[in-house]
Amino acid sequence: MLGLTARYPQALIMHGLSGKTALITGGSKGLGLAIAQTLASYGVNIALLVRSDRESAEQAVDLLRGQGVKAGFWLADMTVRAEVTAAIQDINQVLGGIQLLVNNAGANAHAPLLSLTDEQWQRVVNANLNGTFVVTTEVVKRMSRGGVVINIAGASAHRCYPNAGAYGPAKAAIVNLTQQMALEWAPLGIRVCGVSPGPVRPADSDWQQQEPELAAEVARLPLKRAGTPEEIAQTVCFLASSAASYITGQMLVVDGGGISSWYMTQ
Ligand SMILES: NC(=O)c1ccc[n+]([C@@H]2O[C@H](COP(=O)([O-])OP(=O)(O)OC[C@H]3O[C@@H](n4cnc5c(N)ncnc54)[C@H](OP(=O)(O)O)[C@@H]3O)[C@@H](O)[C@H]2O)c1
């Protein structure tokens, strides 16, 4: 019995991802790990940039190597340029040049504007916006033969939600930053796109018991369920692949239809 890729070689050829090296921020757990594993399934070598959680990073690297690709993790706070520079220089030595960057790491504060402390505001803006700026500029300086950058924003970037006082504005800024990067770096052969997920939870978890308020909101989505990390990861792979070679400066909203109709659906 022939393997899937032997029977359908165009599946891998179309993606054009095999053998590339990707850097994923915050890629040791959650959505970032699903993105790393899905890219690895297309033959992409993976560098994870993690802040402090060495244990989950080690487990993630074991999983990725088990998929047959090269993988490693590097510790850095993505908002501190010196740490990011050192990590990227080392990744270039160990895994070769980075051709794909996924800015996945982020932070949230769950508060309305009048309750937000300055510390919360700065932490959320720092992690989402400044981190994306610092990591991307350091990676792009070293992308000698073009590449792709994918920024993870969120549905909150495109419409306002209660308690998203800092998160919404920080994610909305990523939309404009994505367009600015796309414009400035198109001559370098670099495409820059973004993915804006709606609520994402693992399909096999009982998150509805832990988060009844979110479950009630999700029930009002046109598709009436949360997205899975794998669904977001496949969208990232599409945008990173040669199937999306004429797309740059665009955000793909992956939210079960929420931003266009949330409040109209019963
Ligand atoms: N899950 C959802 O429903 C959803 C919906 C819309 C958008 N998103 C976006 O998707 C992305 C991933 O979501 P998630 O739920 O998987 O997130 P998560 O579990 O909260 O993970 C976020 C990651 O970012 C890392 N991080 C935060 N600040 C950092 C810094 N300064 N330097 C390096 N790493 C840093 C965290 O590392 P530490 O563990 O060390 O803090 C963590 O690994 C985020 O950008 C999020 O805003 C998620």
Side-chain angles (χ1 to χ4, degrees):
M1 177 90 167
L2 284 171
L4 189 65
T5 54
R7 278 182 288 152
Y8 303 108
Q10 70 277 19
L12 285 184
I13 292 165
M14 179 194 78
H15 281 284
L17 291 170
S18 184
K20 297 212 160 136
T21 296
L23 172 61
I24 303 161
T25 63
S28 64
K29 53 192 162 193
L31 199 43
L33 177 56
I35 293 168
Q37 288 187 283
T38 308
L39 283 167
S41 75
Y42 291 115
V44 177
N45 299 316
I46 306 288
L48 305 175
L49 193 77
V50 302
R51 181 166 45 179
S52 56
D53 189 350
R54 186 178 276 275
E55 197 183 325
S56 62
E58 280 167 358
Q59 287 168 2
V61 165
D62 283 348
L63 284 173
L64 294 163
R65 288 182 181 157
Q67 291 181 255
V69 298
K70 293 182 201 162
F73 74 88
W74 281 260
L75 290 174
D77 183 325
M78 62 180 181
T79 65
V80 180
R81 192 172 286 274
E83 291 184 20
V84 171
T85 306
I88 290 169
Q89 282 170 343
D90 201 53
I91 292 166
N92 285 344
Q93 296 286 319
V94 176
L95 291 180
I98 297 164
Q99 292 115 345
L100 169 61
L101 166 65
V102 183
N103 286 303
N104 161 79
N108 198 346
H110 296 292
L113 292 169
L114 292 180
S115 307
L116 273 173
T117 63
D118 289 347
E119 186 280 324
Q120 286 174 310
W121 172 271
Q122 277 151 14
R123 182 174 57 77
V124 172
V125 173
N126 242 333
N128 290 292
L129 184 59
N130 299 5
T132 299
F133 168 68
V134 170
V135 175
T136 311
T137 47
E138 287 303 313
V139 169
V140 164
K141 276 178 202 168
R142 296 170 177 81
M143 269 181 172
S144 54
R145 284 178 294 137
V148 181
V149 177
I150 309 287
N151 297 325
I152 305 296
S156 310
H158 306 274
R159 63 168 300 158
C160 296
Y161 293 87
N163 294 324
Y167 186 73
K171 291 297 196 184
I174 287 181
V175 176
N176 191 276
L177 183 60
T178 299
Q179 293 164 337
Q180 186 70 27
M181 288 172 167
L183 175 75
E184 292 193 17
W185 298 335
L188 306 179
I190 296 170
R191 292 190 298 110
V192 187
C193 288
V195 176
S196 285
V200 177
R201 295 292 181 273
D204 57 358
S205 72
D206 65 346
W207 65 269
Q208 292 91 340
Q209 313 302 319
Q210 323 295 325
E211 301 174 273
E213 248 177 66
L214 180 62
E217 288 172 8
V218 163
R220 295 169 63 195
L221 291 172
L223 293 186
K224 302 204 179 306
R225 65 173 178 85
T228 65
E230 293 71 27
E231 286 173 315
I232 306 303
Q234 290 292 358
T235 308
V236 170
C237 289
F238 162 67
L239 287 172
S241 77
S242 54
S245 53
Y246 199 49
I247 303 177
T248 196
Q250 294 295 314
M251 305 298 298
L252 251 177
V253 181
V254 187
D255 73 336
I259 64 159
S260 37
S261 57
W262 185 302
Y263 292 105
M264 291 185 283
T265 309
Q266 291 305 311

